[in-house]
Amino acid sequence: MAFNIKTINMIGEVFTGVAGVFLIITAVGQDWVEVQFFRTSHVITWGLWDICVGGVCLPDSGWLEICRGMLLLAVLLSLTAFVCGVVGLCVHSHCSKRVWFLLAGALLSLVALLDLLTLIIYPVMFNMDIIHLQTDSHWTYPLKTWNFDWTFGFGWGAFIFTVAASVFFILPLDDKKTVSNPF
């Protein structure tokens, strides 16, 4: 089975759409981290927008705003890359197609970087804040455990789809060449 360049770019466009949906779910989701404290039976979840849940608050620090900003910028750039891919699929000139696909691939590379930075900064800083809260003399909730939740997983899924879409758009293939499936 062989794939031509148009098929590869269409796969890149589908991956861009999936990554965009995953990024939106990640950005609006409230369940990034699931925290359980001793002396309480319920589980508290934190996300990008929540710093206080049920009277339990994280310190107000700039790292959460930075994570929100990077992820929102990633969503906007992902949508822009999707539009660039659609334009690239609709244009008939090979040179113009290539420019639009390279632009989409470059934007998606930036989206992947922003998403990755957010997915690294958030847990590191969250852990530091939780440790800081545990040493605070006014804090009455000893930490039992905290785990990543489903929304954080969508962020990693978005990263994988974004990297794959970027590769599909940046591949310098000619329209007359085909890529053979090795399977």
Side-chain angles (χ1 to χ4, degrees):
M1 182 174 171
F3 297 107
N4 65 17
I5 188 68
K6 187 169 182 162
T7 305
I8 289 174
N9 292 135
M10 289 176 92
I11 293 170
E13 189 66 14
V14 169
F15 281 12
T16 303
V18 170
V21 169
F22 281 13
L23 282 171
I24 290 170
I25 291 170
T26 301
V28 300
Q30 296 180 6
D31 303 329
W32 274 52
V33 176
E34 183 179 274
V35 181
Q36 187 173 14
F37 297 98
F38 288 109
R39 299 187 207 152
T40 61
S41 60
H42 63 283
V43 174
I44 298 171
T45 58
W46 269 289
L48 282 178
W49 307 99
D50 301 326
I51 58 171
C52 289
V53 178
V56 180
C57 297
L58 287 176
D60 190 17
S61 55
W63 69 266
L64 198 56
E65 292 176 13
I66 291 170
C67 287
R68 277 191 293 250
M70 286 193 301
L71 199 60
L72 290 176
L73 182 59
V75 168
L76 291 174
L77 291 176
S78 177
L79 295 174
T80 305
F82 185 82
V83 170
C84 289
V86 168
V87 170
L89 288 172
C90 294
V91 170
H92 296 292
S93 166
H94 176 71
C95 186
S96 295
K97 270 184 187 295
R98 191 75 194 127
V99 169
W100 284 106
F101 291 148
L102 285 175
L103 180 59
L107 288 172
L108 289 169
S109 297
L110 185 57
V111 168
L113 178 65
L114 290 169
D115 189 25
L116 181 64
L117 286 173
T118 302
L119 294 171
I120 291 172
I121 291 171
Y122 187 92
V124 169
M125 297 306 293
F126 183 85
N127 187 43
M128 289 175 61
D129 281 353
I130 288 290
I131 290 171
H132 172 52
L133 285 176
Q134 296 300 303
T135 60
D136 188 357
S137 62
H138 300 294
W139 186 258
T140 59
Y141 301 102
L143 178 68
K144 185 175 183 180
T145 184
W146 67 274
N147 300 308
F148 298 112
D149 214 344
W150 65 273
T151 309
F152 190 78
F154 269 93
W156 281 106
F159 173 74
I160 292 167
F161 276 103
T162 302
V163 169
S166 177
V167 168
F168 282 133
F169 281 128
I170 293 176
L171 281 176
L173 297 173
D174 189 16
D175 277 333
K176 294 179 178 41
K177 293 182 182 175
T178 59
V179 179
S180 296
N181 186 356
F183 300 107

